[in-house]
Amino acid sequence: MPDTRAVVRAALRTAKLSHDEFIELARLLWAAPTSSDDSADNGKSTGGGPTGHLTPVHERRAAATMVLIQSKDRLGGGDADFIEGLLRDAKTWALVDPLAGDLVGPLSERDAAFDPVLERWASDADFWIRRSALLAHLTPLRQGRGDLDRFSRFADAMLDEKEFFIRKAIGWVLRDTSRTRPDLVFDWILPRVNRASGVTIREAVRRLPTEQRDAVLAAR
């Protein structure tokens, strides 16, 4: 990952790309390698089946994610559909989390066009999309800003879910919010302690002051 990040940064530092070129670069990296890519690798690329179809490469998709994050100042609400397509296709926290937390989070904070998008994501049938709706609040709330009321509403609606990645995401956002606003997190989690899962509570109380952490665990 550090090597991939270094390559992306070096490439973008000298590139003069337009908005559409950033999107196209990310799209090409995200897609499965072409047959010409495979031949350049002397036929050694993994994922080729008996039909000759190639599969996407995780490291290329990670690079695509980094390209979008590095170029987020040029992106906006008009790119929501493209980003959503990547989130639906990713199927792994290793790609979903940076796309949601490091890309959608800052974009949604400055562009109100993401408001209805996040509302829709919060009730989507795909748990990776619901996780994205939660993690879009991570960076702003961690830094003492963000829409805590909206996150609270999303998290409260998902609190009874059995899906691990939803339970962990709720706790993760609460944990990072408690860095700057522990009292708000304490007041949120305490009355919900018998609804929240163990993993949600463990994450939520991790950075709380000892007295507050002990009170939550005792109530549990």
Side-chain angles (χ1 to χ4, degrees), residues 9-198:
R9 284 176 175 168
L12 296 184
R13 189 161 47 240
T14 58
K16 304 296 183 182
L17 301 181
S18 66
H19 166 275
D20 290 349
E21 288 170 331
F22 275 117
I23 293 295
E24 180 65 5
L25 175 56
R27 187 191 68 78
L28 290 171
L29 286 168
W30 190 271
T34 64
S35 57
S36 60
D37 292 333
D38 189 44
S39 62
D41 193 31
N42 296 320
K44 296 178 182 178
S45 295
T46 59
T51 61
H53 293 160
L54 300 175
T55 56
V57 176
H58 175 79
E59 288 76 11
R60 288 171 59 126
R61 288 189 160 187
T65 299
M66 294 172 190
V67 165
L68 293 173
I69 293 170
Q70 290 292 315
S71 61
K72 62 181 179 290
D73 290 346
R74 302 193 180 195
L75 306 180
D79 302 301
D81 287 346
F82 176 71
I83 297 169
E84 181 175 335
L86 303 186
L87 288 167
R88 291 189 182 280
D89 200 31
K91 306 300 183 185
T92 172
W93 62 267
L95 297 172
V96 167
D97 292 4
L99 283 170
D102 298 327
L103 180 61
V104 177
L107 291 180
S108 63
E109 191 177 19
R110 73 167 191 254
D111 192 336
F114 273 93
D115 290 347
V117 175
L118 294 182
E119 294 289 342
R120 177 169 52 80
W121 287 4
S123 58
D124 197 272
D126 186 338
F127 74 82
W128 290 115
I129 300 299
R130 297 198 304 280
R131 179 177 170 93
S132 298
L134 294 168
L135 294 185
H137 296 81
L138 181 65
T139 298
L141 291 178
R142 176 196 293 151
Q143 296 175 355
R145 305 185 312 277
D147 192 338
L148 186 61
D149 289 340
R150 183 173 63 190
F151 169 76
S152 174
R153 180 162 46 81
F154 288 179
D156 200 43
M158 299 185 214
L159 201 57
D160 298 313
E161 290 201 26
K162 303 300 183 184
E163 173 55 55
F164 169 81
F165 286 103
I166 295 297
R167 293 175 164 185
K168 184 65 176 286
I170 295 172
W172 182 8
V173 176
L174 291 172
R175 180 192 72 198
D176 279 24
T177 302
S178 70
R179 293 183 179 187
T180 55
R181 291 172 283 184
D183 290 345
L184 290 178
V185 172
F186 175 72
D187 291 342
W188 193 91
I189 196 65
L190 187 63
R192 296 170 173 82
V193 72
N194 290 318
R195 289 179 55 213
S197 69

